[in-house]
Amino acid sequence: MRMYDIIAAKRDGGKLTKEQIDFFIGGYTRGEIPDYQMSALAMAIYLRGMDAEETAWLTAAMAASGDMADLSGIEGVKGDKHSTGGVGDKTTLIVAPIAASCGVKIAKMSGRGLGHTGGTLDKLESIPGCSVSLTEQQFIRQVNDIGIAVIGQTGDLAPADKKLYALRDVTATVSSLPLIASSIMSKKLAGGADCILLDVKTGSGAFMKTLEDSIALAKAMVEIGEHNGRHTAALITDMDTPLGCAVGNSLEVIEAAETLKGGGPDDLWQVCRALAANLLSLCGKGTLDECEAMADEARSSGRAFETLCRMVRAQGGDDGFLRDTSRFVKAPCRREVRCGADGFLTATDTEKIGLAAVALGAGRETKESSVDPAAGLHVLKKAGDKVRSGDVLAVLYAADEAKLDAAEEVYRGALTVSQEPPAPVKRIFARVDRGGVTML
Ligand code: URA
C-alpha cells in the first residue's frame, strides 16, 4: 500500500477503505509517513470530506494508536461529559459532581485552556493544593471511593490525534467536520467511559459558529460513539455569549461553587441542569424529567457541593476555599469597563471576550506560558441586555495595568450597542441522540 495512492484517491473524491485508514494512521504515528504527505491527505479530506463509515474507522484507528484507559476496575456505569470548548464554560465543575452524587461514576480526563477557550485542569489547579496528576491506580481508587476524579491525561492516549491535530493547526485543516469529530471522539473512546454526553457549543465563541454546523458535528460524533458501543448523546448549547458571568480560572471555580450551593447565574444553572439530567438519563438513571428532579435535589440538598469538596480534598486541595470563596487571592489590579451610549447590547463577539481574558493572563499566549489563577473578568451585561451610558459592562482583573489596557481594548471591540432590541437569547437549542435531532 502506498500513501501516494491514498492521497490521490481522496483528492479525486473516493471513499477510503478501513485498511487504507489503518495504514496511514499507523504509519504516521510511527513516524514512517512524513508530515508533507499527511498534510496533503488532511487537505484532501478537508476538501472532499468523509462519510460516516470512514469517519468511524478513522476515529477507531486514532483511538487505538496508543493506550486505551482500562476502567474495568471501577464498579458501576462510567459516564463522561465533554464540551467542544467555550468561554466561561465551567460546566464540568458543576455537572460532574451532580452526576457522581447521583451514582454515576465519573473517571474524567480533562484538558487545559486552548486559544480563547478555558480548560478544566487550569481551573482546578487554581484551588490551592489541588493536583490533576494521579497515577492510574490512585485514579481508579478515588473513583471507587468517592465516585469522581478529574485529572489530566494519563498514559499516551490517542497519540495519532496529538500529531495530526498539531499538523492541522498549521495547515489550515482544523475546521473539517470529520477531522474534528474523529479527533474529539478518539480521545473519548480511549478514555474508556460507557456513556458520553457531548456539549456542542454553537456561536461566536465556539468552534462551530452556526447551528447547522453544530448539529452536523453532534450527529457525526453521536454516530461514532454509538458505532463503537458507547451510549452517546449531545446537547447543542449557546456560545454566542459567555456562559455565566465569570471568565478566568479561580473566578470560574468561585462561580461554580456558588452555583452548586444554590446561587450563581441562572443561565449557567439552566445549562448545567440540562447537561446533568441528560448525562444521568444516558447512564440509565431515569427519564429526563426524573433526572432533572434528581439534579435539582443533588444541588438543593448540598450533596453535589460536598462531592466536589471531597474530590478536591482527595486530590490534595483545600476545600475551605470552596466553602468560603472570599479566601481566593484577588488580582491586584481591577478596572470597570463602562458603556458609552444608551441602547441594547445586541451582540458580543465571544471569541474576542475569551481573547480579552487571555490578555489579562487567564489563558496561554503560547503553549509554554503559565496562567494567572486570579486573572479574568466578570461579564455584567450580556447580549440582549438594555444598557445606559455609564453602566458597568464588565470588570477586568489582572496583575498589572498594561494587561488591563490591552484587554479593555479587545473587550470593547467585542461589543455591539444598537437601538433595536435584539431577539431573545436561547441557551439550549437541540438534543441529538441515536434517534435523531430534537429541537428544543
Ligand atoms: N477539539 C479537539 O480535540 N479536536 C479538534 O479537532 C477540535 C477541537
Side-chain angles (χ1 to χ4, degrees):
M1 204 175 288
R2 294 193 320 156
M3 186 63 175
Y4 179 96
D5 300 323
I6 298 174
I7 298 167
K10 186 45 78 181
R11 178 200 63 198
D12 296 339
K15 174 169 174 166
L16 301 181
T17 65
K18 180 175 183 312
E19 289 66 35
Q20 287 174 317
I21 290 172
D22 288 344
F23 173 83
F24 75 72
I25 288 298
Y28 187 56
T29 310
R30 290 189 298 273
E32 294 160 9
I33 291 172
D35 278 350
Y36 57 83
Q37 282 191 311
M38 196 63 214
S39 306
L41 181 59
M43 186 56 83
I45 294 172
Y46 182 94
L47 295 171
R48 292 295 199 165
M50 277 183 148
D51 72 12
E53 206 169 27
E54 287 174 290
T55 310
W57 289 330
L58 177 61
T59 312
M62 291 204 295
S65 67
D67 299 333
M68 303 281 282
D70 177 8
L71 304 185
S72 59
I74 298 171
E75 288 156 31
V77 180
K78 276 80 74 180
D80 194 1
K81 182 233 101 181
H82 178 85
S83 159
T84 57
V87 178
D89 180 6
K90 67 281 292 175
T91 52
T92 292
L93 299 174
I94 299 167
V95 175
I98 292 176
S101 73
C102 294
V104 170
K105 294 289 166 53
I106 303 287
K108 184 161 174 55
M109 292 185 208
S110 279
R112 297 199 176 273
L114 185 70
H116 69 283
T117 65
T120 302
L121 300 183
D122 296 326
K123 292 169 204 183
L124 282 172
E125 282 181 345
S126 75
I127 304 168
C130 189
S131 164
V132 294
S133 316
L134 301 183
T135 64
E136 211 172 305
Q137 231 180 359
Q138 289 170 325
F139 181 55
I140 302 280
R141 192 178 325 122
Q142 182 175 318
V143 179
N144 273 328
D145 286 352
I146 63 174
I148 182 170
V150 179
I151 62 167
Q153 201 172 294
T154 65
D156 194 16
L157 245 56
D161 173 64
K162 205 174 295 166
K163 273 189 93 172
L164 184 54
Y165 191 87
L167 192 72
R168 287 164 56 209
D169 206 19
V170 291
T171 55
T173 52
V174 167
S175 56
S176 145
L177 193 142
L179 293 179
I180 295 177
S182 57
S183 166
I184 293 174
M185 290 305 289
S186 65
K187 287 168 285 202
K188 293 290 107 185
L189 296 184
D194 307 308
C195 303
I196 303 165
L197 179 71
L198 301 160
D199 178 10
V200 178
K201 303 288 186 190
T202 190
S204 62
F207 252 105
M208 292 295 174
K209 308 290 182 201
T210 68
L211 184 56
E212 195 187 355
D213 285 350
S214 306
I215 290 176
L217 176 63
K219 281 166 80 174
M221 292 196 291
V222 167
E223 213 161 321
I224 293 168
E226 292 286 340
H227 187 93
N228 285 281
R230 315 298 170 91
H231 202 13
T232 310
L235 285 185
I236 313 292
T237 70
D238 177 63
M239 196 35 71
D240 240 352
T241 193
L243 185 56
C245 298
V247 182
N249 297 298
S250 65
L251 301 177
E252 292 191 41
V253 169
I254 293 169
E255 191 167 88
E258 298 306 337
T259 302
L260 280 176
K261 288 187 232 175
D266 187 57
D267 66 331
L268 175 60
W269 172 241
Q270 291 313 322
V271 170
C272 288
R273 180 178 190 257
L275 290 170
N278 274 275
L279 179 56
L280 289 168
S281 185
L282 202 59
C283 293
K285 294 290 174 189
T287 64
L288 270 181
D289 283 348
E290 287 164 351
C291 291
E292 274 176 3
M294 284 170 75
D296 287 340
E297 194 276 332
R299 182 193 195 210
S300 61
S301 64
R303 211 174 59 242
F305 175 68
E306 289 304 325
T307 300
L308 176 65
C309 289
R310 288 182 77 191
M311 180 189 92
V312 165
R313 254 193 338 262
Q315 295 183 202
D318 182 349
D319 62 316
F321 282 79
L322 302 177
R323 298 180 190 282
D324 175 6
T325 54
S326 70
R327 288 178 60 194
F328 277 96
V329 171
K330 292 173 187 59
C333 301
R334 174 185 189 279
R335 182 175 303 168
E336 292 175 347
V337 179
R338 288 183 183 270
C339 190
D342 293 350
F344 293 89
L345 193 53
T346 41
T348 51
D349 180 332
T350 301
E351 182 166 343
K352 281 196 183 144
I353 294 181
L355 291 173
V358 173
L360 290 164
R364 288 180 186 76
E365 303 272 4
T366 67
K367 248 170 48 187
E368 287 71 32
S369 45
S370 56
V371 298
D372 174 353
L377 54 95
H378 278 130
V379 178
L380 302 188
K381 296 285 182 190
K382 302 235 248 183
D385 286 350
K386 198 169 183 351
V387 290
R388 298 180 67 89
S389 179
D391 279 354
V392 180
L393 302 173
V395 184
L396 314 181
Y397 308 92
D400 58 56
E401 292 291 328
K403 287 194 170 67
L404 292 178
D405 290 341
E408 180 174 355
E409 194 180 329
V410 178
Y411 196 91
R412 286 194 180 280
L415 309 177
T416 307
V417 176
S418 72
Q419 298 313 306
E420 291 302 312
V425 177
K426 236 180 127 109
R427 302 280 354 196
I428 305 169
F429 295 98
R431 180 175 197 280
V432 180
D433 62 17
R434 59 185 163 187
V437 180
T438 310
M439 299 308 292
L440 301 171

Short mmCIF file of all heavy atoms in Angstrom, two decimals, residues 82-84 114 161 165 168 173-176 179-185 187 207, ligand 1:
data_model
loop_
_atom_site.label_atom_id
_atom_site.label_comp_id
_atom_site.label_asym_id
_atom_site.label_seq_id
_atom_site.Cartn_x
_atom_site.Cartn_y
_atom_site.Cartn_z
N HIS A 82 -18.38 15.90 27.72
CA HIS A 82 -17.32 16.62 27.01
C HIS A 82 -17.88 17.85 26.34
O HIS A 82 -18.87 17.79 25.63
CB HIS A 82 -16.69 15.71 25.94
CG HIS A 82 -15.63 16.40 25.14
ND1 HIS A 82 -14.32 16.48 25.58
CD2 HIS A 82 -15.68 17.08 23.98
CE1 HIS A 82 -13.62 17.17 24.70
NE2 HIS A 82 -14.42 17.55 23.72
N SER A 83 -17.21 18.98 26.56
CA SER A 83 -17.61 20.22 25.89
C SER A 83 -16.66 20.48 24.74
O SER A 83 -15.45 20.24 24.86
CB SER A 83 -17.55 21.36 26.90
OG SER A 83 -17.45 22.59 26.21
N THR A 84 -17.20 20.99 23.63
CA THR A 84 -16.31 21.30 22.50
C THR A 84 -15.55 22.61 22.73
O THR A 84 -14.78 23.04 21.87
CB THR A 84 -17.10 21.38 21.17
OG1 THR A 84 -18.14 22.35 21.31
CG2 THR A 84 -17.70 20.04 20.81
N LEU A 114 -7.22 26.35 25.66
CA LEU A 114 -6.70 26.29 24.29
C LEU A 114 -7.21 27.54 23.57
O LEU A 114 -8.42 27.74 23.49
CB LEU A 114 -7.26 25.03 23.62
CG LEU A 114 -6.77 24.68 22.23
CD1 LEU A 114 -5.32 24.22 22.27
CD2 LEU A 114 -7.64 23.55 21.64
N ASP A 161 -3.87 11.39 17.18
CA ASP A 161 -4.62 12.66 17.17
C ASP A 161 -3.71 13.82 17.57
O ASP A 161 -3.80 14.91 17.00
CB ASP A 161 -5.82 12.58 18.12
CG ASP A 161 -6.48 13.94 18.24
OD1 ASP A 161 -7.00 14.43 17.22
OD2 ASP A 161 -6.42 14.54 19.33
N TYR A 165 -3.43 16.69 15.05
CA TYR A 165 -4.01 17.99 15.43
C TYR A 165 -2.97 19.10 15.27
O TYR A 165 -3.27 20.18 14.75
CB TYR A 165 -4.55 17.94 16.87
CG TYR A 165 -5.38 19.16 17.17
CD1 TYR A 165 -6.74 19.17 16.87
CD2 TYR A 165 -4.82 20.31 17.70
CE1 TYR A 165 -7.52 20.30 17.10
CE2 TYR A 165 -5.58 21.44 17.93
CZ TYR A 165 -6.92 21.43 17.64
OH TYR A 165 -7.69 22.54 17.85
N ARG A 168 -2.70 19.82 11.61
CA ARG A 168 -3.88 20.55 11.10
C ARG A 168 -3.82 22.01 11.49
O ARG A 168 -4.22 22.91 10.74
CB ARG A 168 -5.16 19.91 11.66
CG ARG A 168 -5.50 18.57 11.04
CD ARG A 168 -6.52 17.83 11.87
NE ARG A 168 -7.72 18.61 12.09
CZ ARG A 168 -8.51 18.51 13.16
NH1 ARG A 168 -8.23 17.66 14.14
NH2 ARG A 168 -9.58 19.26 13.28
N THR A 173 -6.34 23.13 8.27
CA THR A 173 -7.26 22.00 8.10
C THR A 173 -7.96 21.62 9.41
O THR A 173 -8.43 20.50 9.57
CB THR A 173 -6.53 20.77 7.52
OG1 THR A 173 -5.37 20.50 8.31
CG2 THR A 173 -6.12 20.98 6.08
N VAL A 174 -8.01 22.58 10.36
CA VAL A 174 -8.68 22.27 11.63
C VAL A 174 -10.18 22.14 11.41
O VAL A 174 -10.80 21.17 11.85
CB VAL A 174 -8.36 23.34 12.71
CG1 VAL A 174 -9.30 23.18 13.91
CG2 VAL A 174 -6.93 23.20 13.18
N SER A 175 -10.79 23.10 10.72
CA SER A 175 -12.25 23.16 10.72
C SER A 175 -12.90 22.25 9.68
O SER A 175 -13.66 22.68 8.83
CB SER A 175 -12.72 24.60 10.54
OG SER A 175 -12.16 25.13 9.36
N SER A 176 -12.56 20.98 9.76
CA SER A 176 -13.16 19.97 8.90
C SER A 176 -14.00 19.07 9.79
O SER A 176 -13.51 18.54 10.79
CB SER A 176 -12.04 19.16 8.24
OG SER A 176 -12.42 17.82 8.07
N LEU A 179 -12.70 15.57 10.56
CA LEU A 179 -11.44 15.62 11.34
C LEU A 179 -11.70 16.08 12.77
O LEU A 179 -11.09 15.55 13.71
CB LEU A 179 -10.41 16.52 10.63
CG LEU A 179 -9.90 15.99 9.29
CD1 LEU A 179 -8.90 16.96 8.67
CD2 LEU A 179 -9.26 14.61 9.44
N ILE A 180 -12.60 17.03 12.98
CA ILE A 180 -12.92 17.46 14.36
C ILE A 180 -13.63 16.33 15.10
O ILE A 180 -13.26 15.98 16.23
CB ILE A 180 -13.81 18.72 14.37
CG1 ILE A 180 -13.08 19.92 13.77
CG2 ILE A 180 -14.25 19.06 15.79
CD1 ILE A 180 -13.93 21.19 13.68
N ALA A 181 -14.64 15.74 14.45
CA ALA A 181 -15.42 14.69 15.12
C ALA A 181 -14.52 13.52 15.51
O ALA A 181 -14.59 13.01 16.64
CB ALA A 181 -16.54 14.21 14.20
N SER A 182 -13.64 13.09 14.60
CA SER A 182 -12.79 11.94 14.91
C SER A 182 -11.75 12.30 15.96
O SER A 182 -11.40 11.47 16.81
CB SER A 182 -12.12 11.39 13.64
OG SER A 182 -11.39 12.41 13.01
N SER A 183 -11.27 13.53 15.93
CA SER A 183 -10.28 13.97 16.91
C SER A 183 -10.87 13.93 18.33
O SER A 183 -10.29 13.33 19.24
CB SER A 183 -9.83 15.40 16.56
OG SER A 183 -9.14 16.00 17.60
N ILE A 184 -12.03 14.53 18.49
CA ILE A 184 -12.65 14.56 19.82
C ILE A 184 -13.01 13.14 20.26
O ILE A 184 -12.68 12.71 21.37
CB ILE A 184 -13.91 15.46 19.81
CG1 ILE A 184 -13.50 16.92 19.58
CG2 ILE A 184 -14.70 15.30 21.12
CD1 ILE A 184 -14.67 17.88 19.41
N MET A 185 -13.66 12.40 19.38
CA MET A 185 -14.18 11.09 19.79
C MET A 185 -13.06 10.05 19.98
O MET A 185 -13.22 9.13 20.76
CB MET A 185 -15.23 10.61 18.80
CG MET A 185 -16.52 11.40 18.85
SD MET A 185 -17.29 11.49 20.50
CE MET A 185 -17.86 9.80 20.71
N LYS A 187 -10.33 10.56 21.50
CA LYS A 187 -9.89 10.71 22.90
C LYS A 187 -10.96 10.20 23.86
O LYS A 187 -10.68 9.64 24.91
CB LYS A 187 -9.54 12.18 23.17
CG LYS A 187 -8.22 12.57 22.50
CD LYS A 187 -7.96 14.05 22.49
CE LYS A 187 -8.79 14.78 21.50
NZ LYS A 187 -8.32 16.08 21.05
N PHE A 207 -16.20 26.65 18.25
CA PHE A 207 -15.56 26.14 17.04
C PHE A 207 -16.53 26.22 15.88
O PHE A 207 -16.18 26.59 14.76
CB PHE A 207 -15.22 24.66 17.26
CG PHE A 207 -13.78 24.41 17.41
CD1 PHE A 207 -13.23 24.13 18.65
CD2 PHE A 207 -12.94 24.46 16.31
CE1 PHE A 207 -11.89 23.91 18.80
CE2 PHE A 207 -11.60 24.23 16.45
CZ PHE A 207 -11.06 23.96 17.68
N1 URA B 1 -11.04 19.73 19.85
C1 URA B 1 -10.33 18.62 19.54
O1 URA B 1 -9.96 17.85 20.41
N2 URA B 1 -10.06 18.36 18.25
C2 URA B 1 -10.46 19.16 17.23
O2 URA B 1 -10.20 18.86 16.08
C3 URA B 1 -11.20 20.31 17.56
C4 URA B 1 -11.48 20.56 18.89
#
